[in-house]
Amino acid sequence: MERSDMPKQADTIQFRPGRDTRDSSTQTDSKIQGHGPRLSKVNLFTLLSLWMELFPQEQPEEDDHIQIRGMGLVVVRDSKVVGLHCSGPELHAGQAAIIHHGASLADCHLYFSRRPCATCLKMIINAGVSQISFWPGDPEVSMLRSTSANHSNSHPRSPPDGITKEAALDAVVTEKLKSNSRSHICVRLQPLAPGLAQFVDETSRECDFMERVTDDEPGPNTEELFNRERTRHLRDFSRRFLVETSRQHRAILTHMRLENFCLEPYFSNLRNNMRELVEVLAAVAAGLPQQNYGFYKEQHSPAEPSLAKSSLPLRHEGLSQEGARHCIIQARLLAYRTEDPKVGVGAVIWARGQSTGGDGTGCLYLVGCGYNAYPAGSQYAEYPQMDDKQEDRQRRKYRYIVHAEQNALTFRARAIKAEEPTMLFVTKCPCDECVPLIRGAGITHIYTTDQDRDKDKEDISYLRFSSMKNVNKFIWQRSPSACSSSPPQQANGCVGKHSRQADQESHSNKKLRTSRSHTSPPVS
């Protein structure tokens, strides 16, 4: 992003014609062409930063009255996520990273959802980070928001007139800091792998969470629900991350001293790559519809100790339905980086500290995250790829794959403390191999789907989850209020264990890799 006639190669925007088969994953060196599309590291970290910008806030920002935009930040060390941060009422995302990580930020890569302000940038550079990547839309010190006086005298779609002196000054200081920094400050976006956008859309329609909705409410309504949610998210995300018009965006880039990116074809590619990511994010978010569904606590009764569920929406540690849903979508994004060509699983572990850190996550801090993958140091597709349909069990993948929960626990960024509630968000029901690890690690709460509960697939079974003790389980299901107003046969998941073994078997071989801001109730 040096100021020259063309963007230099060192500041790559990563416009490549297809998937780079040598793109190493966060788990293994992927030197062999995989069996299905997946997210590149760059796009995964960028998507996580965009989604962290949308972390539920008690006091949402007012677009028309403040100049500082909230944003998300992903901290990566050795290709592994060690921090997820967002702006809060007191701290910017960059400041939160400094507070949480300090000097350990040295040699890390930071992915911002927009360009950080000079106040954050100087501290981050000083910490010795290796790379700072950001999306060059409206920066943290917003150039689209003007003072009330300027706003009344200028057209809202005239960026040069609406840019405040503070925003212009911050851009100058940021450019000076960048030009004198040893950190590599760049814009990194890659085109999606061919077919990945359609793949994400189709698998989001059929994920375990949507499958539960379909089981409860069979018919075309679920398809309409998904399409409606995706359209709504796409509209909202586009408005937030894609500057409304090309003219506005060019003006912002110019005032950020990024005139080189205004040139064609770089400018069109830049916006197109972000548009693709926004479409992926909208499809993934639509896979967990907000209407009538959420995570509700499972409680045991003396009559059926392993089956009964409570329909009471008991509040858990102040975590809202919106917050729980946000964390599960983080896990779903991670699942699209999987090395398993059949079933992608993602897991995120958050813990609740004793006091708030002043950033947007409140008392929550990241413990670890992961997805199912082959052992570190392996080559992609080096191990067997077959599922349980393969007759020769020696050629099946299950004994080689490291599960998402296992990776999240192995590569955790912080220790799990016995005195703090620790929450695991995982996109599939934990299997028998992971249940002892979860319990032994000190996980106190699990948020998941139970579509595979009580299944035995020979190579992998889910029999231990129902009898798991001393861990609070929050299952994705219809809300109690929706159940109370529905006929008994539509109240699955709200009273007792849903008796749909035959239906479960029809979905038991669901494949992730095939060809193919409302107010929320509190989490129980």
Side-chain angles (χ1 to χ4, degrees), residues 56-269:
Q57 301 285 322
E58 292 184 2
Q59 298 177 339
E61 64 182 51
E62 297 291 338
D63 288 357
D64 296 332
H65 301 292
I66 62 174
Q67 191 181 352
I68 302 299
R69 296 212 64 163
M71 66 179 183
L73 166 62
V74 178
V75 180
V76 178
R77 182 185 300 116
D78 298 327
S79 293
K80 297 177 178 64
V81 176
V82 297
L84 294 173
H85 305 284
C86 61
S87 302
E90 296 182 8
L91 295 177
H92 296 187
Q95 293 171 327
I98 292 291
I99 295 296
H100 284 276
H101 302 277
S104 64
L105 284 175
D107 299 324
C108 286
H109 289 194
L110 273 58
Y111 289 78
F112 287 91
S113 60
R114 56 189 70 243
R115 193 197 67 181
C117 67
T119 299
C120 293
L121 190 59
K122 65 182 180 184
M123 292 188 292
I124 293 167
I125 291 173
N126 188 52
V129 301
S130 176
Q131 176 182 284
I132 300 169
S133 176
F134 64 91
W135 161 243
D138 192 24
E140 186 171 29
V141 180
S142 176
M143 292 186 174
L144 291 180
R145 302 174 192 184
S146 58
T147 61
S148 57
N150 287 339
H151 186 75
S152 61
N153 295 326
S154 63
H155 192 279
R157 296 190 179 183
S158 302
D161 297 330
I163 293 176
T164 64
K165 293 181 180 179
E166 188 66 26
L169 179 60
D170 187 81
V172 172
V173 175
T174 299
E175 176 66 17
K176 184 69 173 178
L177 288 167
K178 183 182 80 68
S179 62
N180 287 278
S181 171
R182 288 175 293 179
S183 303
H184 181 49
I185 303 176
C186 59
V187 173
R188 297 194 70 194
L189 286 175
Q190 295 175 335
L192 294 182
L196 180 57
Q198 181 181 357
F199 174 72
V200 172
D201 185 84
E202 292 175 353
T203 52
S204 294
R205 292 173 185 269
E206 301 171 359
C207 69
D208 280 13
F209 302 96
M210 283 302 299
E211 181 180 316
R212 181 57 181 270
V213 177
T214 302
D215 286 350
D216 290 346
E217 306 173 32
N221 290 339
T222 55
E223 181 80 7
E224 295 173 3
L225 174 63
F226 178 86
N227 290 336
R228 184 168 63 250
E229 287 286 290
R230 184 189 56 182
T231 300
R232 180 174 65 85
H233 288 308
L234 183 59
R235 180 184 64 249
D236 294 344
F237 299 163
S238 297
R239 183 183 301 120
R240 187 176 189 98
F241 299 118
L242 280 169
V243 180
E244 188 172 348
T245 66
S246 297
R247 177 175 170 271
Q248 277 183 324
H249 198 181
R250 290 179 190 273
I252 287 173
L253 290 173
T254 299
H255 281 77
M256 282 198 294
R257 307 297 195 270
L258 301 179
E259 301 95 331
N260 299 327
F261 291 121
C262 294
L263 303 177
E264 295 292 353
Y266 301 104
F267 179 75
S268 294
N269 289 338

Side-chain angles (χ1 to χ4, degrees), residues 319-391:
L319 187 64
S320 67
Q321 287 287 357
E322 201 172 44
R325 179 177 174 274
H326 190 279
C327 295
I328 278 287
I329 291 174
Q330 293 170 358
R332 287 214 62 229
L333 288 170
L334 286 161
Y336 284 102
R337 182 61 186 165
T338 182
E339 294 174 339
D340 182 344
K342 298 293 184 180
V343 180
V345 183
V348 180
I349 305 173
W350 288 87
R352 179 172 291 280
Q354 300 300 317
S355 60
T356 179
D359 63 352
T361 60
C363 298
L364 297 179
Y365 62 85
L366 181 72
V367 173
C369 60
Y371 50 84
N372 53 337
Y374 293 102
S378 308
Q379 290 186 339
Y380 188 56
E382 179 180 6
Y383 289 111
Q385 306 288 301
M386 302 301 178
D387 58 18
D388 57 1
K389 292 183 178 180
Q390 181 72 22
E391 291 184 5

